[in-house]
Amino acid sequence: MKLRSIASACTVLLLAGIVWAGVNVDWDKSANFSAYKTYAWGQGTPVKNQLMDQRIIDGIDKQLAAKGLQKVSADANPDLTVVYHAAVSTETQINTMGTGGWGWRWGGGMATSTVDKIPVGQLTVDIGDAKTQKLLWMGSANGTLSEKPQSNEKKINGALEKMFKKFPPPPAKK
């Protein structure tokens, strides 16, 4: 019975990870994104690793340039202000493996459980109107992190591609 509870808990944790992992975007449905041509960076919540910080900024710059937006300095009266926020948290994963006996259902065997701490990164990109200070668009992504910076860079760039796939959003239907 105890093993059944552990198995159920593992299933719930696994499903929670599937539901929350991924990329999401939201935007102001009344905004006319075609009116915006320039952007500048504002102060967000950057990662502590300066190399990764620059990779994230470069990745966002690349996506915005591909959409026709021009990066300018903050004192050049940009149309948009872009910031990003990053955080790292830890998820716990419990793995249970039965050994011996006729299976966990009928008893007689032993079970060994291990607990793994998995680093998870969250990245949010906010784009707002520089003049009104109103948030216009927000993209967010989360996923597991690797110990290898190159792997994390690929994951971040993939998340940014998904995030900006339909940016700018279509005009509101009248």
Side-chain angles (χ1 to χ4, degrees), residues 23-25 33 39 41 56-57 59-67 69 80 82-84 123-127 137-140 156-169:
V23 175
N24 294 299
V25 296
F33 285 87
Y39 74 96
W41 280 94
I56 292 170
I57 290 170
I60 295 169
D61 283 342
K62 178 182 173 186
Q63 293 298 321
L64 293 173
K67 302 299 181 170
L69 289 168
L80 298 169
V82 178
V83 299
Y84 87 85
L123 175 65
T124 301
V125 179
D126 294 339
I127 300 176
W137 184 91
M138 179 176 70
S140 63
I156 289 168
N157 287 333
L160 290 172
E161 284 179 25
K162 287 181 184 177
M163 210 183 279
F164 284 94
K165 186 175 185 176
K166 293 184 180 179
F167 181 89

Side-chain angles (χ1 to χ4, degrees), residues 77-94:
N77 295 323
D79 299 322
L80 298 169
T81 300
V82 178
V83 299
Y84 87 85
H85 307 280
V88 177
S89 61
T90 304
E91 288 184 0
T92 303
Q93 181 178 9
I94 301 171

